[in-house]
Every structure is written in structure tokens, then in C-alpha cells.
Amino acid sequence: MSEAFPGPHGAPASVRVPVLRLGDVLLVTLQGDLHDSTAQQLQDDLAETIVRSGATGVIIDISGVEIVDSFLGRVLAEIAGQTDLLAARTVIVGMRPAVAITLVELGLTLPGVHTALNTEVAIELLTGQAVSSRSGGLRRETL
């Protein structure tokens, strides 16, 4: 592992969030706080990987995130907007109840972001596979 040196605000300057490819879907797992430089690097890495790989979906696992503030909410919305412009869809998984409550209390909406309770359901959603009722977790609205 490479050594990380402190950047602005004490954040490690060389920390990168891994972007894993699962077929046509990219998987990102967020752990703990996301600093400004790390968030910008993640956005750049995702855009480059989507274009290079032709990925059609991005799953962002936030199960390792204890607290969502307005900064993280904005970053997630920006990632979703960016991936949408690159012809990919974004699904957030692993949202804890406290995180959902905080997002609502802060009045943060995540336009363009779908949610699923787990990665399996998110992959099914993004790849167009039928979602079985035993999987649970997919939130669909019908008119």
C-alpha cells in the first residue's frame, strides 16, 4: 500500500476510493468520511472508468458511512448527475436508517439516484434481471 501524505484539512492527499468493475456495472464502497480531494478524485475516476469500460451502471455502497452531511449528499447527487450524462445509472445501497433520517431532516434529495437495500438487488436493477420477491429491497413506484 502506498503511503498517504496529509493534504488540505488533514485529509490524506493520495487516498483513492477503489472502483471495481463487475461486468457492465461499477462498484464503489465508501468507508468513513469522504474528504474534498478524495471526493473529487472519485468523481474523476468514475467518469474515466465509465467512458473507458462502457459501464451502464454504478453502485455506491454506503454501508460503511456512519453520518451523511450536506457535503456527502451533494457529492452523491453530483456523481449521479455525472453518470447520467455518461449514459449510466446510479444506485445507492447499504443506507442505514439513521442516514436516511438525516437526509430527510437535512432536506437533501438525491435526484437521479435509485436505492436498493443490497448489492444483489442493485445489480438486478441495473442489468434488467427480474427482481425476485425474496430478495426484497428494491423500491419501485407504480402509477
Side-chain angles (χ1 to χ4, degrees):
M1 179 181 266
S2 64
E3 185 176 346
F5 297 99
H9 312 293
S14 63
V15 172
R16 289 179 105 119
V17 177
V19 177
L20 305 174
R21 184 171 177 196
L22 305 169
D24 289 337
V25 175
L26 303 178
L27 175 64
V28 175
T29 301
L30 300 181
Q31 300 291 324
D33 291 337
L34 191 64
H35 299 283
D36 292 359
S37 60
T38 307
Q40 183 61 52
Q41 188 64 56
L42 173 60
Q43 288 176 312
D44 294 346
D45 290 348
L46 271 173
E48 289 176 25
T49 306
I50 290 168
V51 170
R52 188 176 60 249
S53 69
T56 58
V58 174
I59 298 172
I60 302 175
D61 182 351
I62 63 170
S63 59
V65 176
E66 295 287 331
I67 298 171
V68 172
D69 57 10
S70 58
F71 171 72
L72 182 56
R74 181 178 55 82
V75 168
L76 293 173
E78 286 176 1
I79 288 172
Q82 178 179 315
T83 58
D84 185 51
L85 289 172
L86 296 172
R89 294 186 297 163
T90 302
V91 178
I92 305 257
V93 301
M95 187 175 301
R96 298 169 188 239
V99 169
I101 290 167
T102 301
L103 286 172
V104 170
E105 288 174 348
L106 291 173
L108 295 174
T109 59
L110 301 175
V113 176
H114 301 277
T115 59
L117 291 179
N118 61 52
T119 305
E120 179 185 5
V121 174
I123 290 172
E124 290 173 348
L125 173 65
L126 291 170
T127 60
Q129 297 175 359
V131 177
S132 65
S133 59
R134 67 169 174 72
S135 303
L138 179 62
R139 305 293 187 223
R140 290 190 183 176
E141 296 288 328
T142 57
L143 298 176

